[in-house]
Amino acid sequence: MLIIRKARQGDCQSIAPLHTAAVKAIRTDLYSPGEIQAWAVPKDAKSYEQSILSKEFFIAEDGRVVVGFGILNPETAEVEAIYVSPNAGRRGIGLKLLTKLEERARLLKLAVLRLNASLNAVPFYERAGFVAQQSSTYRLFTGVEIACVPMAKTLDGPR
């Protein structure tokens, strides 16, 4: 049974390999192999631990297996990440994580959510009500820049 819950420190060991697997599973000609490789490098455990403590960090868990995660930075009103394991794709997990982040944003009284969508994720975010801005680039923590599409969504009241 799938549940969405707040991430805990003990989840860090599952988050990094999930991130890597999700990025490496992208089958697209929108990014070069070098860009995919740089993007697939997981952050260190301390970075995930800090995000769990300071941000709205949720995981999707199926049984006792972490199959996805999402991060909302309430300071910047930005969805920083939504990743789903390639073994759990096409089950609505990404949308459930995004919905949870939107619920948290509404509770925090954020009026607009922003994000930098990877080119392959733009249709997903458009279906969720985000509006694309002008194309841009995003600097990965590895220093490599990849193409992205900044997007925004105006939030209504609590649901």
Side-chain angles (χ1 to χ4, degrees), residues 106-122:
R106 286 183 182 92
L107 288 172
L108 294 166
K109 308 234 185 292
L110 301 177
V112 176
L113 272 184
R114 299 188 191 300
L115 56 85
N116 289 305
S118 58
L119 300 179
N120 56 295
V122 170

Side-chain angles (χ1 to χ4, degrees), residues 55-68:
K55 299 175 183 172
E56 298 290 323
F57 198 132
F58 288 85
I59 65 158
E61 190 174 61
D62 191 3
R64 294 193 175 260
V65 177
V66 175
V67 295

Side-chain angles (χ1 to χ4, degrees), residues 6-138:
K6 282 283 254 182
R8 300 185 288 253
Q9 296 299 321
D11 296 322
C12 290
Q13 292 179 2
S14 299
I15 293 166
L18 188 151
H19 167 258
T20 297
V23 173
K24 285 186 173 182
I26 294 172
R27 304 236 185 266
T28 179
D29 59 355
L30 300 173
Y31 295 104
S32 72
E35 289 170 323
I36 294 287
Q37 183 176 356
W39 183 6
V41 174
K43 295 179 180 175
D44 64 36
K46 290 272 188 217
S47 178
Y48 291 120
E49 290 170 6
Q50 183 59 35
S51 290
I52 288 169
L53 293 173
S54 64
K55 299 175 183 172
E56 298 290 323
F57 198 132
F58 288 85
I59 65 158
E61 190 174 61
D62 191 3
R64 294 193 175 260
V65 177
V66 175
V67 295
F69 69 92
I71 305 170
L72 167 66
N73 183 333
E75 297 292 317
T76 61
E78 182 179 7
V79 174
E80 292 184 346
I82 300 269
Y83 288 98
V84 175
S85 167
N87 298 330
R90 302 287 181 209
R91 292 179 28 206
I93 295 169
L95 184 57
K96 288 177 183 171
L97 284 163
L98 182 58
T99 299
K100 176 56 86 175
L101 297 181
E102 288 181 15
E103 288 172 6
R104 294 298 303 153
R106 286 183 182 92
L107 288 172
L108 294 166
K109 308 234 185 292
L110 301 177
V112 176
L113 272 184
R114 299 188 191 300
L115 56 85
N116 289 305
S118 58
L119 300 179
N120 56 295
V122 170
F124 165 77
Y125 289 113
E126 286 177 334
R127 286 190 303 274
F130 282 79
V131 177
Q133 313 297 306
Q134 188 172 4
S135 294
S136 185
T137 59
Y138 178 80

